[in-house]
Amino acid sequence: MFDFSYVILVLPMLLLSMIAQANVSSTFQKYSRILAANRMTAAEAARRILDSRGLHHIQIIRVAGNLTDHFDPKNNVLALSETVHDSPSVAAIGVAAHEAGHAIQHAEGYVPVRIRSAIVPITQFGSKLSMPIVILGLILGVYPLAYAGILLFGTVAVFQLVTLPTEFDASRRAMAVLSEGYLTDEERVGTKKVLTAAAMTYVAALFVSLASLLRLLLIVNRRR
C-alpha cells in the first residue's frame, strides 16, 4: 500500500535537507576562492584563538575528507579537514573558528553542550532500537511497545533540538573572535554566509526527525 504519510511529511524534509547540504557545499567552495588578506591558514587561526582563551592543551590535527571538521572533547582534539587545515581562505578560517568555538563552549561549561553530552548514550540507544521496537509492537499488536519505540526515536529529535543553540552559538563566537584582527569586515561577510549555510543543515536535520516522528505516530494510531 502506498505510504502517503512518507510523501507528505518526510520526503519534503529530506529534499530540504539535500538542498541545505548542497548549499553549504557551494557556499564553502565559493568563499574558498577568497583568501584572507593576512594569508593566515585556518589551522593557524584556530591555534591563535584557542591560545588566546588559555586552551593551549587542545591539539589541532589534519583529518581526511571534505568538511569533516569537528572538536573531540574527550581527547581535546580539534580536527580540521584537508580542505580547511592549510587553507588561508575566509571560508576555511570561518570553519576553524567555529570549531574553536565548540572547544571554548566545553571549556566554559556551556549548558546546551552539557545537555547534549549527557543525552548522547540515550540518543545512540534510541537511534538503533527505536524502529525495531516500533515494528515489533505493530506486528504483535502490543501498542504500548510501539509507543515506547516512538519515544526512543524522539530522543534523536531532542538531541538535534539541543544541537541547534550549540551550533548557532559556536558560529556567533566565531564571528565575534574573527573581528579581533583575524579578518576584515568585508572578509567576514563571506565567512558569515558559510557558517549560516552550515547551520541550516542542522535545522533541516531537525525537521526530518520531527516529520519522521509525526509519521510514526500516525502509523501506530492508524493501526490501532
Side-chain angles (χ1 to χ4, degrees):
M1 185 176 178
F2 191 72
D3 187 356
F4 284 100
S5 65
Y6 180 84
V7 175
I8 296 173
L9 292 174
V10 180
L11 186 57
M13 296 302 102
L14 287 175
L15 292 175
L16 177 64
S17 180
M18 292 173 61
I19 292 171
Q21 291 290 346
N23 183 50
V24 70
S25 295
S26 62
T27 305
F28 179 82
Q29 290 177 2
K30 176 181 179 179
Y31 290 101
S32 288
R33 294 190 288 269
I34 301 177
L35 306 184
N38 58 20
R39 293 300 188 271
M40 182 185 300
T41 68
E44 292 170 343
R47 182 74 274 160
R48 279 183 54 180
I49 293 171
L50 294 174
D51 289 348
S52 69
R53 269 59 178 181
L55 303 178
H56 308 283
H57 61 287
I58 294 178
Q59 181 184 6
I60 298 175
I61 64 172
R62 191 172 187 264
V63 293
N66 178 41
L67 294 179
T68 52
D69 313 86
H70 62 278
F71 172 64
D72 178 2
K74 291 184 178 180
N75 298 308
N76 285 317
V77 169
L78 195 156
L80 298 178
S81 61
E82 295 172 335
T83 52
V84 169
H85 188 279
D86 299 318
S87 172
S89 72
V90 298
I93 292 173
V95 171
H98 174 90
E99 298 306 329
H102 282 310
I104 296 170
Q105 287 174 338
H106 280 272
E108 295 180 354
Y110 182 60
V111 174
V113 167
R114 294 170 62 183
I115 295 174
R116 190 175 67 166
S117 299
I119 65 176
V120 163
I122 302 174
T123 302
Q124 292 175 336
F125 179 80
S127 63
K128 293 177 181 178
L129 295 181
S130 58
M131 289 307 297
I133 291 175
V134 171
I135 293 172
L136 183 61
L138 291 175
I139 292 174
L140 298 178
V142 182
Y143 296 105
L145 182 62
Y147 285 120
I150 293 175
L151 184 62
L152 281 176
F153 186 85
T155 62
V156 177
V158 171
F159 178 82
Q160 291 173 337
L161 181 62
V162 177
T163 295
L164 287 186
T166 302
E167 294 300 326
F168 279 104
D169 179 74
S171 292
R172 180 191 62 78
R173 292 172 186 264
M175 293 305 301
V177 74
L178 290 177
S179 66
E180 300 172 4
Y182 292 84
L183 296 177
T184 65
D185 292 344
E186 184 178 355
E187 290 168 344
R188 290 199 306 277
V189 172
T191 299
K192 185 174 182 179
K193 290 182 179 180
V194 171
L195 297 183
T196 299
M200 289 304 102
T201 62
Y202 292 96
V203 175
L206 175 61
F207 285 163
V208 171
S209 292
L210 292 176
S212 299
L213 183 63
L214 179 57
R215 174 174 174 260
L216 289 177
L217 284 169
L218 291 174
I219 290 173
V220 174
N221 288 335
R222 186 168 63 239
R223 287 290 297 271
R224 288 187 66 183

